[in-house]
Amino acid sequence: MSSAALPAPRPLGGRRAAFVWSIGVGVYFVAVIFRTSLGVAGLDAAERFHVNASALSTFSILQLLVYAGMQIPVGLMVDRLGTKKVLVLGTVLFTVGQLGFALSPSYATALGSRALLGCGDAMTFISVLRLGSRWFPAKHGPMIGQVAALFGMAGNLVSTIVIARSLHGIGWTQTFAGSSLAGVVVLVLVLLFLRDHPEGHEPPPAHHAGAAFVRRQIAESWREPGTRLGMWVHFTTQFPAMVFLLLWGMPFLVEAQGLSRGTAGELLTLVVLSNMVVGLVYGQLIARHHAARLPLALGTVGATALLWAATIAYPGAHAPMWLLVTLCLVLGACGPASMIGFDFSRPANPPERQGTASGITNMGGFIASMTTLLAVGVLLDATGDNYRIAFSSVFFLEALGLAQILRLRARAQRRERDHLVASRVEAVHVPV
């Protein structure tokens, strides 16, 4: 049969694409609930396991260390095995990790459970990005990424509202064990309904050559200035909000600002709600105005640094509520700004390297978050819980990331223009 007789593949997008992609997003939603559940349980965990600030921060540090360390391996796995297999494995791991955390009798076993959870969590977001790129047209890439992050923040919202109330209603074991059932539900959905790509859009077969292939994938992805720029944008924008939501926001608001747990929880919820709104705005702006990527990222970094400094340097014993509210609103922009990193790395790499490049980009923010979580915990113990000194560690990493962004931006922009010109020339010469 001639190629002309073959039925044309269906166009990308549509209801089928939305359904399949929503299953992947559902897995990420549950993973974020599990990831951020410690953020509202930090004080409870310190009491349950009898640990100080440094030991408490080790929970999140280890989880993020595993997450960050898994990004490149997961990217390679997605490129090689496909989305479905990686999501199945990730769901099993983070569900077992959440259940283990519920039943852990000691600090050591709880640490192991959080590490297992981090490993499974690491397999979700890159898979969801890859799934979106297979089921939707490329022009929808920025919006697809922001919407995925939006549902992730909805998972954070569940943590700050449902998990927090459940902890004080039914207790530690019942809360964490009960929440692990959500992992079982999404695992079943993935096994039954998720597909790597629509019919007629199968990717070309990749030729894998063991360690040599792995080294080549990583080296070629890293060689692209857009990949490195994307990583540093992710590094610089994401971590202030991550540190605040994942662990230190609740203790800071309660112990340093004198708020009740209820009021502190409402402020954490405000960060999440702001993130969801800003994510939609950023996604629309970037989809319509590609040049807005860097100004939005740099503007977010500047606003975050300004409000963070104003809050911790406020001359009174406690910052006023209006300033705390403004800080939380601005922190809500950090997550959407971090997604801009993928909008730099995605066009810099061909489809067969998308997973690897996304893995490199995604490492940035989590390395910064892990470093800051450790620094805050150590400084709190060293200074007798002086949050002003401990929270100042944020500025060092923002300065480092900002310097790298400014160094790479022109090189990445030139390279992206070269890719665009080359693709247009190739399209002109393709026979029809």
Side-chain angles (χ1 to χ4, degrees), residues 74-135:
V74 168
L76 292 165
M77 288 171 63
V78 170
D79 287 337
R80 183 166 188 172
L81 302 177
T83 301
K84 182 171 184 174
K85 292 179 181 178
V86 176
L87 279 180
V88 167
L89 178 58
T91 304
V92 170
L93 290 176
F94 69 60
T95 302
V96 173
Q98 184 78 341
L99 181 60
F101 194 57
L103 304 176
S104 292
S106 67
Y107 176 68
T109 55
L111 275 178
S113 296
R114 296 305 287 187
L116 195 63
L117 193 157
C119 186
D121 182 18
M123 299 182 181
T124 58
F125 190 65
I126 293 176
S127 297
V128 171
L129 289 180
R130 173 63 172 264
L131 194 67
S133 69
R134 293 298 190 192
W135 282 88

Side-chain angles (χ1 to χ4, degrees), residues 246-261:
L246 199 59
L247 184 59
W248 291 121
M250 178 70 78
F252 169 73
L253 294 171
V254 173
E255 297 176 353
Q257 299 301 320
L259 302 180
S260 67
R261 285 197 180 197

Side-chain angles (χ1 to χ4, degrees), residues 114-172:
R114 296 305 287 187
L116 195 63
L117 193 157
C119 186
D121 182 18
M123 299 182 181
T124 58
F125 190 65
I126 293 176
S127 297
V128 171
L129 289 180
R130 173 63 172 264
L131 194 67
S133 69
R134 293 298 190 192
W135 282 88
F136 292 95
K139 64 180 181 180
H140 296 316
M143 198 62 193
I144 289 298
Q146 291 289 357
V147 171
L150 174 71
F151 279 92
M153 291 310 296
N156 202 327
L157 191 62
V158 171
S159 291
T160 58
I161 297 177
V162 179
I163 299 292
R165 292 181 180 177
S166 181
L167 275 169
H168 299 97
I170 62 176
W172 179 282

Side-chain angles (χ1 to χ4, degrees), residues 27-106:
V27 175
Y28 179 57
F29 171 77
V30 174
V32 174
I33 294 175
F34 293 178
R35 178 203 302 170
T36 58
S37 57
L38 184 60
V40 295
L43 297 176
D44 300 85
E47 181 180 346
R48 179 180 178 87
F49 299 112
H50 309 290
V51 295
N52 60 15
S54 296
L56 180 61
S57 65
T58 303
F59 276 123
S60 296
I61 291 167
L62 178 62
Q63 181 179 331
L64 292 183
L65 177 63
V66 173
Y67 187 105
M70 286 293 294
Q71 289 309 294
I72 292 179
V74 168
L76 292 165
M77 288 171 63
V78 170
D79 287 337
R80 183 166 188 172
L81 302 177
T83 301
K84 182 171 184 174
K85 292 179 181 178
V86 176
L87 279 180
V88 167
L89 178 58
T91 304
V92 170
L93 290 176
F94 69 60
T95 302
V96 173
Q98 184 78 341
L99 181 60
F101 194 57
L103 304 176
S104 292
S106 67

